[in-house]
């Protein structure tokens, strides 16, 4: 199976795809170019919002607002711009937000990272009922997180350590007593964004690996899907029946020669899956 290009958007660092079923829109970001992108598959409509900053994730709130992780803050999308922060994220000046997910309880789980990719100053945070706390999972680059359909397991990616961790969060907003879910061989790249399907299987994008993988809840590789570019960043399961996988990619980190050899890098891709995704949760604001 191979993925097909659906939008040659040319993202420098495409990330954070999220499917909003009530509007039939797929949203994703370009962190390096400070842009939000919206794709409506049913009509082919495409829209780019140049909001500036370093937008890293988009998450819907219960009131219909879209929340955006941006640098050291969580901001609402107001019209075509980002509004005043609803939460300020603590950390050193070289940190920024990265990937995120919303669980069935309305908790927003997101990571921070060292934007210089040097120090272990990143961590997973939890924004629950309007309150922000540091959950753990210290890393140079956090990715994921993703939460199992039953709400028990949170999957946290330590990208530079090439490790996907699993934590029991059923009764807490903390990452404690984690277990290794999967380790990625350096020859296969490094794990980037992850998402969960209805069977509790984990789809993981491989930065530098030219592919995405589907893992069973036991950590076994069930499927691989090839991409025509090296830096694959995240999968979102969407479409009317949640059986279309949308994949973001990046041009960042490629030499000029590599860019010429990977002309579709930074594009948005799609392929069909047999097992549907899980509807996107809504952030409870308190």
């Amino acid at each position: 199976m191979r993925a097909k290009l659906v939008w040659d958007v040319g993202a420098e660092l495409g990330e954070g795809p999220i499917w909003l079923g009530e509007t039939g829109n797929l949203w994703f970001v370009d962190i390096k170019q400070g842009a939000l992108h919206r794709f409506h598959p049913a009509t082919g409509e495409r829209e780019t919002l140049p909001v500036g900053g370093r937008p890293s994730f988009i998450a819907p709130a219960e009131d219909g607002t879209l929340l955006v992780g941006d640098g050291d803050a969580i901001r609402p999308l107001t019209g075509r711009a980002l509004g005043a922060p609803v939460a300020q994220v603590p950390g050193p000046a070289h940190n920024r937000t990265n990937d995120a997910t919303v669980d069935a309880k309305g908790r927003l789980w997101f990571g921070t990272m060292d934007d210089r990719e040097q120090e272990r100053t990143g961590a997973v945070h939890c924004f629950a009922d309007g309150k922000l706390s540091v959950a753990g999972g210290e890393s140079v680059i956090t990715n994921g997180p993703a939460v199992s359909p039953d709400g028990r397991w949170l999957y946290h990616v330590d990208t530079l350590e090439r490790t996907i961790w699993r934590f029991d969060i059923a009764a807490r907003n903390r990452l404690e007593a984690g277990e290794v879910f999967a380790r990625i061989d350096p020859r296969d790249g490094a794990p980037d964004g992850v998402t969960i399907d209805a069977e509790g299987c984990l789809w993981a994008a491989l930065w530098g690996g030219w592919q995405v993988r589907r893992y069973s809840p036991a950590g076994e590789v069930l499927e691989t899907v090839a991409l025509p570019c090296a830096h694959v960043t995240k999968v979102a399961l969407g479409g009317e029946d949640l059986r279309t996988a949308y994949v973001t990619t990046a041009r960042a980190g490629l030499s000029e020669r590599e860019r010429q050899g990977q002309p579709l890098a930074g594009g948005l891709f799609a392929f069909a899956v047999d097992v549907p995704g899980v509807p996107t949760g809504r952030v409870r604001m308190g």
Side-chain angles (χ1 to χ4, degrees):
M1 182 190 302
R2 293 186 67 89
K4 66 176 183 179
L5 181 72
V6 295
W7 187 358
D8 190 7
V9 65
E12 190 67 17
L13 184 52
E15 259 289 6
I18 182 171
W19 177 258
L20 301 184
E22 68 277 11
T23 60
N25 284 314
L26 180 88
W27 285 85
F28 60 104
V29 304
D30 185 338
I31 300 172
K32 297 293 187 183
Q33 294 184 339
L36 310 183
H37 298 295
R38 181 180 65 85
F39 175 54
H40 192 265
T43 63
E45 182 184 3
R46 303 165 182 177
E47 181 182 24
T48 295
L49 304 181
V51 297
R54 293 171 291 172
S56 66
F57 69 77
I58 301 169
E62 284 185 326
D63 64 359
T65 303
L66 294 183
L67 301 177
V68 179
D70 172 42
D72 64 352
I74 302 172
R75 302 176 183 273
L77 178 63
T78 305
R80 297 177 62 86
L82 300 184
V86 299
Q88 206 73 42
V89 184
H94 53 78
N95 266 23
R96 66 165 173 83
T97 61
N98 204 30
D99 206 358
T101 194
V102 185
D103 68 16
K105 295 180 179 180
R107 296 177 293 185
L108 171 66
W109 300 89
F110 68 94
T112 57
M113 61 170 281
D114 177 5
D115 205 24
R116 307 167 306 177
E117 303 182 8
Q118 297 175 0
E119 301 179 43
R120 292 181 65 83
T121 52
V124 176
H125 295 63
C126 182
F127 184 66
D129 294 319
K131 297 180 181 180
L132 181 65
S133 62
V134 180
E138 289 74 17
S139 313
V140 179
I141 301 175
T142 63
N143 261 300
V147 177
S148 60
D150 62 5
R152 178 180 179 183
W153 300 107
L154 181 141
Y155 294 84
H156 157 59
V157 179
D158 185 331
T159 294
L160 292 192
E161 293 296 323
R162 292 183 167 85
T163 302
I164 303 175
W165 293 86
R166 182 164 64 184
F167 295 87
D168 188 338
I169 59 166
R172 58 184 69 87
N173 294 353
R174 289 280 308 170
L175 307 189
E176 299 172 350
E179 61 187 32
V180 173
F181 175 74
R183 294 192 191 276
I184 309 301
D185 189 298
R187 295 171 297 182
D188 297 329
D192 204 308
V194 294
T195 197
I196 290 283
D197 67 22
E199 290 184 348
C201 293
L202 188 79
W203 284 95
L206 296 186
W207 179 275
W210 302 78
Q211 64 179 267
V212 295
R213 288 178 176 174
R214 182 174 183 248
Y215 288 87
S216 75
E220 303 165 323
V221 178
L222 301 177
E223 298 178 57
T224 63
V225 179
L227 275 292
C229 46
H231 296 336
V232 188
T233 56
K234 191 173 181 178
V235 179
L237 299 174
E240 186 176 345
D241 57 1
L242 299 181
R243 283 185 166 88
T244 300
Y246 292 99
V247 188
T248 49
T249 63
R251 299 183 300 181
L254 297 178
S255 68
E256 187 58 39
R257 182 175 182 179
E258 288 172 327
R259 290 187 181 214
Q260 292 174 1
Q262 301 175 39
L264 301 183
L268 176 68
F269 297 83
F271 60 90
V273 297
D274 294 326
V275 178
V278 178
T280 301
R282 300 292 184 270
V283 180
R284 291 181 56 184
M285 300 301 290

